[in-house]
DNA sequence: CCCGTGTGTTAGCGGTCGTTAACTCGATGG
DNA sequence: CCATCGAGTTAACGACCGCTAACACACGGG
């Protein structure tokens, strides 16, 4: 094998443990010694693999954002029917939320700890991902305004990203059961966009457009 | 007025600014000098009002947890109809999520930074609040299992607590419009609990119970 | 055989942070 | 008029943290 293979494994191992620790105790709450100890080396040995603690967080956030966007775009591209595409988007996001819980947590929690260039990149990836969702949601629910759809997408992200809270206290038994329930909840929430009221006017509820 | 009044105001001012800073940059990311500067005094002057930085966070988290629980219990107690009680619970939570955004953020983000005694208290308050919701949800959606209802409640919390993400980029125009949309999304999400599949068995989807 | 390279170690530096100590000062009340 | 007290100041200390420096050592190829 190529000599970079072992290095890659080490890097990935470090990133995995760093993600877990950052999610548990916050970026500033974890010392480099603890990250090193989690992978069996100690402290400054990490600097053979990363230029610094910031670089680890940056690689984690850029990675998860990019993978979310790539997976979302792929699923949308290969699913012509909008309703099925929305289903696929939700299912894909649930996979990330369940399998990469620490990353999902970091992704909307420690973004401000990045240097500005990295932060702008991550934000751009996140924005494109949201746009992907908004476009599909508006095709499935044409009555929704742009603002409504965008807010609803953020709300559904909050719903789907609630998985970290489920594991803490007794949680659901099976992964597939959790995924199925979240899928139904998210789809059903978005179905509210076909309801009555619009919100561009400050008026009270109205039934017709 | 009593001499404690000015003290209370100062304390509340400090707590408000501390909550904002903690939510923005994380508990470990904010120094006591910054908190002091935010209220016009500097650094160690805070120790005339709090025994330490930890005490500020503890008071914030116990406060929001307690107020959420108290408000929820009151609304449930004075609303006999379960569907209306659920509506009131959602509306009350939205009020907190919109008006006390930093506290809602801290509430599920910095809990682990508390000393164990405070952490246990906050967790107990949170658990009781969840139980209040679960009881009402199960009365409105009797087909849902305990586990389903609990997971759905956590998911709806995630949905409602997404407000901090809305304000960051363009957000919704009016407070009442945002509140109304979140209300519809949350109610509609929970309506999925009346759907087909159960999840206590590991089998595939079934239509009957 | 040995030398370069990858990967680790320990010691230590410079800076930051939470907290305490010692002091100041205006207001208040007998 | 002075003693007390609440509320703030600055200085400084000890601990911790991210990171660098200097060194160790296995190993693979000429």
């Amino acid at each position: 094998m190529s000599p970079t293979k072992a290095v890659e494994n080490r890097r990935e191992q470090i990133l995995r443990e760093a993600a877990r620790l950052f999610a548990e105790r916050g970026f500033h709450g974890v010392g480099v010694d603890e990250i090193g100890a989690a992978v069996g080396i100690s402290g400054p040995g990490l600097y053979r693999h990363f230029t610094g603690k910031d670089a680890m967080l940056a690689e984690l956030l850029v990675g998860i954002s990019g993978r979310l966007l790539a997976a979302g775009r792929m699923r949308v591209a290969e699913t012509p029917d909008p309703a099925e595409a929305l289903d696929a988007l939700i299912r894909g996001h649930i996979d990330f939320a369940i399998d990469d819980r620490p990353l999902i947590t970091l992704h909307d929690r420690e973004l401000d700890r990045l240097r500005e260039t990295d932060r702008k990149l991550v934000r751009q990836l996140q924005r494109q991902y949201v746009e992907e969702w908004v476009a599909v949601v508006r095709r499935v629910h044409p009555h929704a305004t742009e603002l409504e759809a965008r807010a609803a997408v953020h709300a559904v992200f909050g719903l789907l990203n609630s998985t970290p809270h489920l594991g803490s206290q007794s949680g659901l038994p099976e992964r597939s059961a959790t995924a199925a329930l979240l899928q139904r909840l998210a789809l059903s929430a978005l179905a509210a966009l076909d309801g009555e009221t619009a919100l561009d006017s400050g008026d009270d509820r109205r039934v017709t457009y």
Side-chain angles (χ1 to χ4, degrees), chain A:
Chain A
M1 302 298 171
S2 70
T4 57
K5 189 57 176 300
V7 176
E8 288 301 308
N9 286 342
R10 192 51 137 184
R11 278 179 64 91
E12 286 165 19
Q13 184 193 13
I14 293 171
L15 285 176
R16 188 166 10 97
E17 295 302 310
R20 185 180 55 81
L21 289 168
F22 289 161
E24 282 175 6
R25 304 214 284 279
F27 179 69
H28 290 299
V30 180
V32 290
D33 291 356
E34 304 178 66
I35 302 173
V39 298
I41 73 182
S42 222
L46 297 168
Y47 287 76
R48 298 287 169 197
H49 305 275
F50 296 92
T51 70
K53 197 180 153 195
D54 301 340
M56 300 181 209
L57 183 65
E59 193 160 328
L60 285 171
L61 295 191
V62 172
I64 180 73
S65 304
R67 270 176 284 141
L68 265 175
L69 175 60
R73 276 186 171 157
M74 198 185 66
R75 284 165 190 266
V76 169
E78 68 191 11
T79 314
D81 179 63
E84 288 179 24
L86 181 56
D87 231 67
L89 275 181
I90 296 174
R91 186 159 26 246
H93 194 101
I94 290 174
D95 287 344
F96 276 99
I98 293 184
D99 297 334
D100 295 324
R101 251 176 248 204
L103 284 180
I104 282 287
T105 299
L106 289 181
H107 170 263
D108 74 313
R109 188 169 294 195
E110 308 281 357
L111 179 60
D112 300 323
R113 262 53 98 197
L114 260 51
R115 295 196 337 283
E116 197 199 337
T117 158
D118 294 320
R119 193 171 55 239
K120 277 172 81 170
L121 172 56
V122 171
R123 269 209 243 266
Q124 178 186 329
L125 293 169
Q126 288 181 344
R127 201 179 330 121
Q128 291 178 277
Y129 183 60
V130 172
E131 292 315 310
E132 205 76 22
W133 273 70
V134 168
V136 173
V137 164
R138 293 202 71 190
R139 289 186 66 194
V140 178
H141 303 284
H143 287 72
T145 67
E146 168 93 16
L147 283 178
E148 277 180 319
R150 196 175 304 275
V153 165
H154 280 286
V156 168
F157 286 170
L159 187 155
L160 297 178
N161 294 347
S162 69
T163 36
H165 301 282
L166 301 183
S168 59
Q169 48 174 348
S170 85
L172 283 180
E174 276 206 41
R175 189 209 128 103
S176 68
T178 305
L181 177 60
L182 287 175
Q183 180 93 14
R184 283 195 290 145
L185 290 170
L187 255 179
S188 188
L190 290 174
L193 292 176
D194 286 334
E196 58 268 32
T197 58
L199 54 67
D200 19 34
S201 152
D203 267 341
D204 266 348
R205 60 189 61 196
R206 58 177 71 176
V207 183
T208 61
Y209 285 95

